[in-house]
Amino acid sequence: MKRLMCLSLCFILCGCGNASVSQNAEVKKVNVNVIEVSASSLDEIEEMASKDVEDTKEKLESERDALSEELTDYNLYIKNVDKVKAYYDDALKQTELLSIRLREYAYKYAELIINEDASYKVKYKDLSGIYECIYEDAGEAMYDIYDKTLKDMYDMYYDGVIKDAYDEIDYDEWYDVHSDAYDDWYDARSDVYDIWYDTRSDIYDFQYDLRSEVYDHDDERAQKKMDKFKKSILRMKEDVND
């Protein structure tokens, strides 16, 4: 199995739609009743998880850059600040959906292993792939949405077209716009960070607890860990659809 070869990946969630700004309406509702991972092997899940993260980042960065090409000066920014806010909202939504899918990959990965005809020793070993590929590789790649994709919005607007207009407009107006831009950027990144942190924590805890039960040869408790994790995923899918 390609434990540490989580590909460098390219997944377009719902299509790019408008070049100028993404819209939440483009986000397809998820099926809240099932774990939506159609895979029959561990390698396939590893590739899916890796590709999903990279394609999500690519989509968000493409929309970010298209918006930046449109809002090239202060006046254009002022007239279209709602598009910047809409981008932040969509970035948050896409990150939240990605976080759910990563949990689904972890669950499906575990399900294939738990249901296979293999020794406890083999199952215990195979379950480490959740940590290696999904928690570490996909989880670390997901961090780039916070650390790169959204971080660059600071240079484009707060420290870019808005800062450049400092000597051109009334200071009070400039200060308010400048401050609001920072607050919007900071809040979006903070929310994305929280989603990333919670995602990795949940996946880590799931694989750790499940491996412990497999190590102890406790099938009943292992299944309870599976059921609990699945229930939490389905609850999240319901919440995100509301």
mmCIF file of all heavy atoms in Angstrom, residues 30-63:
data_model
loop_
_atom_site.group_PDB
_atom_site.id
_atom_site.type_symbol
_atom_site.label_atom_id
_atom_site.label_comp_id
_atom_site.label_asym_id
_atom_site.label_seq_id
_atom_site.Cartn_x
_atom_site.Cartn_y
_atom_site.Cartn_z
ATOM 1 N N VAL A 30 -24.802 17.607 0.546
ATOM 2 C CA VAL A 30 -24.268 16.270 0.769
ATOM 3 C C VAL A 30 -25.392 15.333 1.178
ATOM 4 O O VAL A 30 -26.433 15.760 1.665
ATOM 5 C CB VAL A 30 -23.178 16.294 1.868
ATOM 6 C CG1 VAL A 30 -22.017 17.160 1.440
ATOM 7 C CG2 VAL A 30 -23.753 16.795 3.187
ATOM 8 N N ASN A 31 -25.166 14.056 0.956
ATOM 9 C CA ASN A 31 -26.111 13.037 1.390
ATOM 10 C C ASN A 31 -25.866 12.769 2.867
ATOM 11 O O ASN A 31 -24.832 12.210 3.239
ATOM 12 C CB ASN A 31 -25.925 11.763 0.569
ATOM 13 C CG ASN A 31 -27.005 10.733 0.836
ATOM 14 O OD1 ASN A 31 -27.602 10.706 1.914
ATOM 15 N ND2 ASN A 31 -27.263 9.882 -0.132
ATOM 16 N N VAL A 32 -26.825 13.143 3.694
ATOM 17 C CA VAL A 32 -26.603 13.084 5.144
ATOM 18 C C VAL A 32 -26.786 11.689 5.716
ATOM 19 O O VAL A 32 -26.524 11.465 6.901
ATOM 20 C CB VAL A 32 -27.543 14.061 5.885
ATOM 21 C CG1 VAL A 32 -27.313 15.489 5.406
ATOM 22 C CG2 VAL A 32 -29.003 13.657 5.705
ATOM 23 N N ASN A 33 -27.221 10.749 4.912
ATOM 24 C CA ASN A 33 -27.571 9.426 5.434
ATOM 25 C C ASN A 33 -26.488 8.366 5.252
ATOM 26 O O ASN A 33 -26.618 7.262 5.797
ATOM 27 C CB ASN A 33 -28.864 8.931 4.772
ATOM 28 C CG ASN A 33 -30.038 9.862 5.055
ATOM 29 O OD1 ASN A 33 -30.260 10.253 6.184
ATOM 30 N ND2 ASN A 33 -30.764 10.225 4.008
ATOM 31 N N VAL A 34 -25.463 8.661 4.486
ATOM 32 C CA VAL A 34 -24.457 7.646 4.193
ATOM 33 C C VAL A 34 -23.049 8.243 4.229
ATOM 34 O O VAL A 34 -22.867 9.450 4.138
ATOM 35 C CB VAL A 34 -24.686 6.995 2.803
ATOM 36 C CG1 VAL A 34 -26.029 6.284 2.759
ATOM 37 C CG2 VAL A 34 -24.604 8.048 1.699
ATOM 38 N N ILE A 35 -22.066 7.363 4.346
ATOM 39 C CA ILE A 35 -20.665 7.738 4.168
ATOM 40 C C ILE A 35 -20.376 7.675 2.676
ATOM 41 O O ILE A 35 -20.436 6.615 2.059
ATOM 42 C CB ILE A 35 -19.736 6.783 4.940
ATOM 43 C CG1 ILE A 35 -20.040 6.835 6.441
ATOM 44 C CG2 ILE A 35 -18.277 7.119 4.672
ATOM 45 C CD1 ILE A 35 -19.802 8.170 7.095
ATOM 46 N N GLU A 36 -20.085 8.816 2.081
ATOM 47 C CA GLU A 36 -19.999 8.909 0.630
ATOM 48 C C GLU A 36 -18.569 8.671 0.129
ATOM 49 O O GLU A 36 -17.922 9.573 -0.407
ATOM 50 C CB GLU A 36 -20.501 10.269 0.161
ATOM 51 C CG GLU A 36 -21.978 10.509 0.463
ATOM 52 C CD GLU A 36 -22.446 11.865 -0.036
ATOM 53 O OE1 GLU A 36 -22.070 12.866 0.577
ATOM 54 O OE2 GLU A 36 -23.180 11.897 -1.027
ATOM 55 N N VAL A 37 -18.090 7.462 0.285
ATOM 56 C CA VAL A 37 -16.776 7.095 -0.244
ATOM 57 C C VAL A 37 -16.923 5.777 -0.994
ATOM 58 O O VAL A 37 -17.102 4.725 -0.371
ATOM 59 C CB VAL A 37 -15.719 6.946 0.874
ATOM 60 C CG1 VAL A 37 -14.379 6.558 0.268
ATOM 61 C CG2 VAL A 37 -15.600 8.236 1.668
ATOM 62 N N SER A 38 -16.868 5.835 -2.305
ATOM 63 C CA SER A 38 -16.975 4.627 -3.118
ATOM 64 C C SER A 38 -15.570 4.147 -3.454
ATOM 65 O O SER A 38 -14.974 4.578 -4.442
ATOM 66 C CB SER A 38 -17.772 4.911 -4.397
ATOM 67 O OG SER A 38 -19.087 5.322 -4.093
ATOM 68 N N ALA A 39 -15.047 3.290 -2.622
ATOM 69 C CA ALA A 39 -13.696 2.777 -2.819
ATOM 70 C C ALA A 39 -13.639 1.340 -2.341
ATOM 71 O O ALA A 39 -14.315 0.965 -1.383
ATOM 72 C CB ALA A 39 -12.683 3.621 -2.048
ATOM 73 N N SER A 40 -12.827 0.551 -2.994
ATOM 74 C CA SER A 40 -12.732 -0.859 -2.649
ATOM 75 C C SER A 40 -11.353 -1.265 -2.156
ATOM 76 O O SER A 40 -11.101 -2.425 -1.871
ATOM 77 C CB SER A 40 -13.098 -1.718 -3.866
ATOM 78 O OG SER A 40 -12.262 -1.400 -4.968
ATOM 79 N N SER A 41 -10.435 -0.293 -2.058
ATOM 80 C CA SER A 41 -9.090 -0.613 -1.581
ATOM 81 C C SER A 41 -8.543 0.548 -0.766
ATOM 82 O O SER A 41 -8.984 1.699 -0.909
ATOM 83 C CB SER A 41 -8.146 -0.904 -2.753
ATOM 84 O OG SER A 41 -7.831 0.289 -3.449
ATOM 85 N N LEU A 42 -7.555 0.245 0.066
ATOM 86 C CA LEU A 42 -6.926 1.281 0.879
ATOM 87 C C LEU A 42 -6.150 2.265 0.017
ATOM 88 O O LEU A 42 -6.179 3.479 0.261
ATOM 89 C CB LEU A 42 -6.003 0.641 1.917
ATOM 90 C CG LEU A 42 -6.647 -0.381 2.861
ATOM 91 C CD1 LEU A 42 -5.626 -0.862 3.891
ATOM 92 C CD2 LEU A 42 -7.864 0.214 3.569
ATOM 93 N N ASP A 43 -5.481 1.755 -1.006
ATOM 94 C CA ASP A 43 -4.734 2.633 -1.899
ATOM 95 C C ASP A 43 -5.652 3.657 -2.560
ATOM 96 O O ASP A 43 -5.310 4.833 -2.716
ATOM 97 C CB ASP A 43 -4.033 1.813 -2.990
ATOM 98 C CG ASP A 43 -2.843 1.035 -2.461
ATOM 99 O OD1 ASP A 43 -2.400 1.322 -1.337
ATOM 100 O OD2 ASP A 43 -2.363 0.140 -3.170
ATOM 101 N N GLU A 44 -6.821 3.200 -2.949
ATOM 102 C CA GLU A 44 -7.775 4.083 -3.605
ATOM 103 C C GLU A 44 -8.226 5.197 -2.663
ATOM 104 O O GLU A 44 -8.338 6.361 -3.062
ATOM 105 C CB GLU A 44 -8.982 3.273 -4.083
ATOM 106 C CG GLU A 44 -9.947 4.054 -4.969
ATOM 107 C CD GLU A 44 -11.094 3.208 -5.475
ATOM 108 O OE1 GLU A 44 -11.139 1.997 -5.160
ATOM 109 O OE2 GLU A 44 -11.950 3.763 -6.175
ATOM 110 N N ILE A 45 -8.474 4.861 -1.421
ATOM 111 C CA ILE A 45 -8.880 5.876 -0.450
ATOM 112 C C ILE A 45 -7.757 6.875 -0.216
ATOM 113 O O ILE A 45 -7.991 8.091 -0.123
ATOM 114 C CB ILE A 45 -9.299 5.217 0.883
ATOM 115 C CG1 ILE A 45 -10.541 4.355 0.673
ATOM 116 C CG2 ILE A 45 -9.575 6.283 1.949
ATOM 117 C CD1 ILE A 45 -10.928 3.527 1.885
ATOM 118 N N GLU A 46 -6.535 6.385 -0.115
ATOM 119 C CA GLU A 46 -5.390 7.273 0.076
ATOM 120 C C GLU A 46 -5.290 8.283 -1.062
ATOM 121 O O GLU A 46 -5.062 9.478 -0.839
ATOM 122 C CB GLU A 46 -4.118 6.455 0.190
ATOM 123 C CG GLU A 46 -4.031 5.628 1.470
ATOM 124 C CD GLU A 46 -2.827 4.699 1.498
ATOM 125 O OE1 GLU A 46 -2.040 4.733 0.531
ATOM 126 O OE2 GLU A 46 -2.679 3.944 2.473
ATOM 127 N N GLU A 47 -5.457 7.806 -2.281
ATOM 128 C CA GLU A 47 -5.382 8.693 -3.440
ATOM 129 C C GLU A 47 -6.549 9.682 -3.455
ATOM 130 O O GLU A 47 -6.374 10.866 -3.787
ATOM 131 C CB GLU A 47 -5.371 7.868 -4.725
ATOM 132 C CG GLU A 47 -4.109 7.039 -4.892
ATOM 133 C CD GLU A 47 -4.137 6.168 -6.137
ATOM 134 O OE1 GLU A 47 -5.056 6.356 -6.970
ATOM 135 O OE2 GLU A 47 -3.250 5.312 -6.285
ATOM 136 N N MET A 48 -7.726 9.221 -3.113
ATOM 137 C CA MET A 48 -8.898 10.086 -3.084
ATOM 138 C C MET A 48 -8.731 11.215 -2.074
ATOM 139 O O MET A 48 -9.027 12.381 -2.361
ATOM 140 C CB MET A 48 -10.148 9.261 -2.761
ATOM 141 C CG MET A 48 -10.589 8.320 -3.860
ATOM 142 S SD MET A 48 -11.912 7.190 -3.320
ATOM 143 C CE MET A 48 -13.265 8.358 -3.117
ATOM 144 N N ALA A 49 -8.267 10.880 -0.883
ATOM 145 C CA ALA A 49 -8.091 11.888 0.162
ATOM 146 C C ALA A 49 -7.060 12.928 -0.246
ATOM 147 O O ALA A 49 -7.270 14.148 -0.082
ATOM 148 C CB ALA A 49 -7.676 11.220 1.477
ATOM 149 N N SER A 50 -5.961 12.454 -0.795
ATOM 150 C CA SER A 50 -4.893 13.346 -1.218
ATOM 151 C C SER A 50 -5.356 14.275 -2.338
ATOM 152 O O SER A 50 -5.130 15.488 -2.301
ATOM 153 C CB SER A 50 -3.696 12.494 -1.676
ATOM 154 O OG SER A 50 -2.661 13.316 -2.095
ATOM 155 N N LYS A 51 -6.003 13.721 -3.325
ATOM 156 C CA LYS A 51 -6.482 14.490 -4.472
ATOM 157 C C LYS A 51 -7.549 15.491 -4.051
ATOM 158 O O LYS A 51 -7.581 16.632 -4.542
ATOM 159 C CB LYS A 51 -7.040 13.549 -5.532
ATOM 160 C CG LYS A 51 -7.420 14.226 -6.845
ATOM 161 C CD LYS A 51 -7.892 13.209 -7.866
ATOM 162 C CE LYS A 51 -8.026 13.848 -9.248
ATOM 163 N NZ LYS A 51 -8.928 14.995 -9.282
ATOM 164 N N ASP A 52 -8.400 15.098 -3.152
ATOM 165 C CA ASP A 52 -9.475 15.965 -2.687
ATOM 166 C C ASP A 52 -8.922 17.245 -2.072
ATOM 167 O O ASP A 52 -9.371 18.360 -2.379
ATOM 168 C CB ASP A 52 -10.321 15.206 -1.658
ATOM 169 C CG ASP A 52 -11.684 15.835 -1.420
ATOM 170 O OD1 ASP A 52 -11.881 17.006 -1.795
ATOM 171 O OD2 ASP A 52 -12.561 15.152 -0.864
ATOM 172 N N VAL A 53 -7.926 17.117 -1.218
ATOM 173 C CA VAL A 53 -7.344 18.292 -0.568
ATOM 174 C C VAL A 53 -6.705 19.219 -1.593
ATOM 175 O O VAL A 53 -6.935 20.440 -1.589
ATOM 176 C CB VAL A 53 -6.300 17.889 0.496
ATOM 177 C CG1 VAL A 53 -5.643 19.131 1.093
ATOM 178 C CG2 VAL A 53 -6.950 17.061 1.588
ATOM 179 N N GLU A 54 -5.920 18.656 -2.495
ATOM 180 C CA GLU A 54 -5.217 19.488 -3.468
ATOM 181 C C GLU A 54 -6.181 20.188 -4.410
ATOM 182 O O GLU A 54 -5.978 21.353 -4.765
ATOM 183 C CB GLU A 54 -4.215 18.651 -4.255
ATOM 184 C CG GLU A 54 -2.962 18.301 -3.484
ATOM 185 C CD GLU A 54 -2.240 19.539 -2.980
ATOM 186 O OE1 GLU A 54 -2.091 20.504 -3.747
ATOM 187 O OE2 GLU A 54 -1.844 19.546 -1.806
ATOM 188 N N ASP A 55 -7.226 19.504 -4.811
ATOM 189 C CA ASP A 55 -8.182 20.119 -5.723
ATOM 190 C C ASP A 55 -9.015 21.195 -5.035
ATOM 191 O O ASP A 55 -9.423 22.167 -5.656
ATOM 192 C CB ASP A 55 -9.086 19.062 -6.336
ATOM 193 C CG ASP A 55 -8.355 18.223 -7.385
ATOM 194 O OD1 ASP A 55 -7.229 18.583 -7.751
ATOM 195 O OD2 ASP A 55 -8.924 17.219 -7.829
ATOM 196 N N THR A 56 -9.286 21.003 -3.750
ATOM 197 C CA THR A 56 -9.990 22.034 -2.993
ATOM 198 C C THR A 56 -9.135 23.293 -2.911
ATOM 199 O O THR A 56 -9.618 24.412 -3.128
ATOM 200 C CB THR A 56 -10.321 21.528 -1.573
ATOM 201 O OG1 THR A 56 -11.133 20.364 -1.662
ATOM 202 C CG2 THR A 56 -11.071 22.602 -0.784
ATOM 203 N N LYS A 57 -7.863 23.125 -2.613
ATOM 204 C CA LYS A 57 -6.954 24.271 -2.562
ATOM 205 C C LYS A 57 -6.861 24.945 -3.932
ATOM 206 O O LYS A 57 -6.889 26.175 -4.032
ATOM 207 C CB LYS A 57 -5.561 23.830 -2.107
ATOM 208 C CG LYS A 57 -5.484 23.402 -0.668
ATOM 209 C CD LYS A 57 -4.049 23.250 -0.203
ATOM 210 C CE LYS A 57 -3.287 22.214 -0.986
ATOM 211 N NZ LYS A 57 -1.889 22.060 -0.531
ATOM 212 N N GLU A 58 -6.750 24.148 -4.973
ATOM 213 C CA GLU A 58 -6.615 24.694 -6.326
ATOM 214 C C GLU A 58 -7.843 25.513 -6.713
ATOM 215 O O GLU A 58 -7.724 26.589 -7.304
ATOM 216 C CB GLU A 58 -6.403 23.556 -7.326
ATOM 217 C CG GLU A 58 -6.217 24.040 -8.756
ATOM 218 C CD GLU A 58 -5.976 22.880 -9.696
ATOM 219 O OE1 GLU A 58 -4.835 22.386 -9.744
ATOM 220 O OE2 GLU A 58 -6.932 22.464 -10.381
ATOM 221 N N LYS A 59 -9.017 25.010 -6.372
ATOM 222 C CA LYS A 59 -10.254 25.722 -6.680
ATOM 223 C C LYS A 59 -10.296 27.060 -5.946
ATOM 224 O O LYS A 59 -10.602 28.103 -6.542
ATOM 225 C CB LYS A 59 -11.468 24.880 -6.285
ATOM 226 C CG LYS A 59 -12.814 25.561 -6.511
ATOM 227 C CD LYS A 59 -13.949 24.642 -6.106
ATOM 228 C CE LYS A 59 -15.311 25.259 -6.438
ATOM 229 N NZ LYS A 59 -15.607 26.457 -5.650
ATOM 230 N N LEU A 60 -9.997 27.046 -4.654
ATOM 231 C CA LEU A 60 -10.041 28.268 -3.867
ATOM 232 C C LEU A 60 -8.981 29.276 -4.325
ATOM 233 O O LEU A 60 -9.231 30.489 -4.356
ATOM 234 C CB LEU A 60 -9.851 27.948 -2.385
ATOM 235 C CG LEU A 60 -11.019 27.214 -1.718
ATOM 236 C CD1 LEU A 60 -10.650 26.804 -0.296
ATOM 237 C CD2 LEU A 60 -12.273 28.084 -1.714
ATOM 238 N N GLU A 61 -7.812 28.794 -4.690
ATOM 239 C CA GLU A 61 -6.758 29.700 -5.136
ATOM 240 C C GLU A 61 -7.077 30.294 -6.505
ATOM 241 O O GLU A 61 -6.771 31.461 -6.774
ATOM 242 C CB GLU A 61 -5.424 28.956 -5.154
ATOM 243 C CG GLU A 61 -4.904 28.685 -3.747
ATOM 244 C CD GLU A 61 -3.751 27.700 -3.707
ATOM 245 O OE1 GLU A 61 -3.270 27.302 -4.792
ATOM 246 O OE2 GLU A 61 -3.344 27.315 -2.589
ATOM 247 N N SER A 62 -7.706 29.496 -7.361
ATOM 248 C CA SER A 62 -8.106 30.007 -8.670
ATOM 249 C C SER A 62 -9.142 31.118 -8.531
ATOM 250 O O SER A 62 -9.060 32.163 -9.197
ATOM 251 C CB SER A 62 -8.674 28.856 -9.513
ATOM 252 O OG SER A 62 -9.156 29.331 -10.749
ATOM 253 N N GLU A 63 -10.106 30.923 -7.657
ATOM 254 C CA GLU A 63 -11.139 31.935 -7.431
ATOM 255 C C GLU A 63 -10.557 33.171 -6.750
ATOM 256 O O GLU A 63 -10.940 34.306 -7.063
ATOM 257 C CB GLU A 63 -12.258 31.326 -6.593
ATOM 258 C CG GLU A 63 -13.038 30.255 -7.345
ATOM 259 C CD GLU A 63 -14.010 29.495 -6.464
ATOM 260 O OE1 GLU A 63 -13.893 29.601 -5.219
ATOM 261 O OE2 GLU A 63 -14.880 28.801 -7.013
#
